[in-house]
Structure formats: structure tokens, C-alpha cells
Amino acid sequence: MPLLTAAALTCLAGCSGTTAPATPGATASAARQQTPAQRLTGLMVTAAGLGPGYSVRESGPAEGRSVFARSAREITGNACTPPAAMTHQLPLGRPQASLSRLVATREAPGTRVHVTLATYDKGMAVTAMDALLADAVLGCSLGFTVRAHGTGERYDPFEPEDTPAVGDEALAYRGVVTPEGDTPRPVRTTVVRHGDVIAVCTAVGGSRIASPVVLTPVIEAQDAKLR
């Protein structure tokens, strides 16, 4: 049997001729390098995920109209501010990052569906859902008024709706919002938590707002992105 050279011994010890597969730890490390905002961008529902007839664009103030509030801290109304923030595409509590998009569909012209994602530190998403939103809706069951920048809004009592089978936790409500000097606007909202991410899908206005074809496809498509 011929003697093996030092080079051959070295190759036997560490030259397999194949590339070692990526370890789960390396994949997890790459994922951790994403900022919270970048993570949300990848998790947001898209027109491709919704299918024909839908469009998704950045959510911003409508042309010629002012924004009621740009953060929940600008809204005054005691314990009733969380549901008001929710209907204005503002995240609940204190997230690491948040992102909003506006969804429109040919099925319901005139109805806007706002989707807001927020990611939280460990355990804080549960607090936002339970200690902020659910408690606020219960405590403000007789209706409430909030103000921001000198403008007021009256909220009729929010009524719970059937909760869809999505996420780790879900809450659904419907109600009516009346801005000062304006006409009442029907609102339907579903809030879904997946781990440390909360998705709020809110349908505003339009004659078909009560129809499941308006909000349900958006909720299901967004839920699929979060799984």
C-alpha cells in the first residue's frame, strides 16, 4: 500500500470536493440583518397576491384633504384612542416599525381598504391587542369622541363581528365614524396577530362595505403572507 503524502492527508481531512450546505444558523443570521421596516415590506400584501381586479399603492393623504393625525399620540380621547388610531391606519401601542398600504378593487368602487402592518418587541404585540385594543373597545362600548389638531370625530358603538380563522389571534369590529361637519362613514376592521406582527385591515365608505367580498379577500391574502 503506497504511503499517503501530507497533501493527500490534508485533503482527506478537509477537502470533500463539495460545498457544505448552508446551516440553519446562517439563514437565521441573514434574516436578523433585516431591519423591522424591511421585514414589513416583505410581509405586506401585494396586488399579485390578491389577483385580478385589485390594486395596492402607498397609503397617504387623499388629494386636497388633511390628515386627522399622523400618530396615535396626537389623538386625545382618554382610553378610547386605540380604536380611533386603528381606523386612521395608525399602529397600536409602540411598534418597532409600521407600514400602510391602500387596496382598491373593482368589486366595490368607492370603498377603500387600508392595510397597516406593525412589528413589536417580544410580547408587546399581545399587549397591543389585549390591553390596548380589546379593552378600549369594551370600555368605550357606548360610543366616544376623539380630537386631533382641533378637529373632532364621533364614533358610534363598535359592534363585534365574527372573527375569521386567521393568525394566532384575531378581533373584528364594525361601526360608524362621523367627522365634525361631515357625513357618517361606515367602518369595518379586522385585526390579526401573527407572533410579533399585527395586521389591521380596515374598510371605509362605499355602498358595499358590509359585503364579505370587500374585506375578506384582503384579510386572507394578508394572512397568507404572514404565515
Side-chain angles (χ1 to χ4, degrees):
M1 180 176 179
L3 294 175
L4 296 176
T5 65
L9 288 172
T10 301
C11 190
L12 285 175
C15 301
S16 64
T18 60
T19 302
T23 63
T27 303
S29 176
R32 283 196 298 269
Q33 292 176 3
Q34 283 189 318
T35 66
Q38 290 171 332
R39 182 186 176 203
L40 292 182
T41 299
L43 293 175
M44 178 61 73
V45 68
T46 63
L50 285 164
Y54 286 89
S55 64
V56 179
R57 63 179 176 85
E58 291 188 10
S59 181
E63 291 78 2
R65 299 185 64 179
S66 61
V67 176
F68 181 71
R70 295 188 181 277
S71 77
R73 291 187 294 275
E74 296 176 355
I75 302 175
T76 58
N78 299 321
C80 299
T81 57
M86 178 181 63
T87 61
H88 283 286
Q89 301 83 57
L90 299 173
L92 301 166
R94 296 181 179 275
Q96 296 173 332
S98 64
L99 180 67
S100 293
R101 291 290 184 265
L102 177 62
V103 179
T105 171
R106 290 198 301 262
E107 290 287 339
T111 297
R112 304 180 306 280
V113 179
H114 298 274
V115 179
T116 299
L117 299 184
T119 182
Y120 296 79
D121 290 324
K122 185 176 181 180
M124 297 309 295
V126 174
T127 299
M129 287 279 286
D130 299 344
L132 289 180
L133 180 58
D135 286 356
V137 171
L138 182 63
C140 304
S141 59
L142 299 179
F144 58 93
T145 298
V146 296
R147 300 190 68 82
H149 303 294
T151 302
E153 287 185 335
R154 170 68 187 174
Y155 285 71
D156 288 0
F158 274 24
E159 299 177 6
E161 291 198 289
D162 290 339
T163 303
V166 291
D168 299 321
E169 183 181 7
L171 301 170
Y173 305 101
R174 70 189 309 157
V176 176
V177 182
T178 307
E180 279 184 355
D182 207 340
T183 57
R185 297 179 300 169
V187 175
R188 293 178 63 224
T189 295
T190 297
V191 186
V192 181
R193 181 180 64 81
H194 272 271
D196 59 2
V197 176
I198 291 178
V200 180
C201 300
T202 302
V204 182
S207 59
R208 299 190 63 190
I209 192 171
S211 173
V213 302
V214 175
L215 197 54
T216 300
V218 180
I219 296 169
E220 292 177 346
Q222 181 59 77
D223 182 70
K225 291 281 289 186
L226 294 174
R227 289 178 193 163

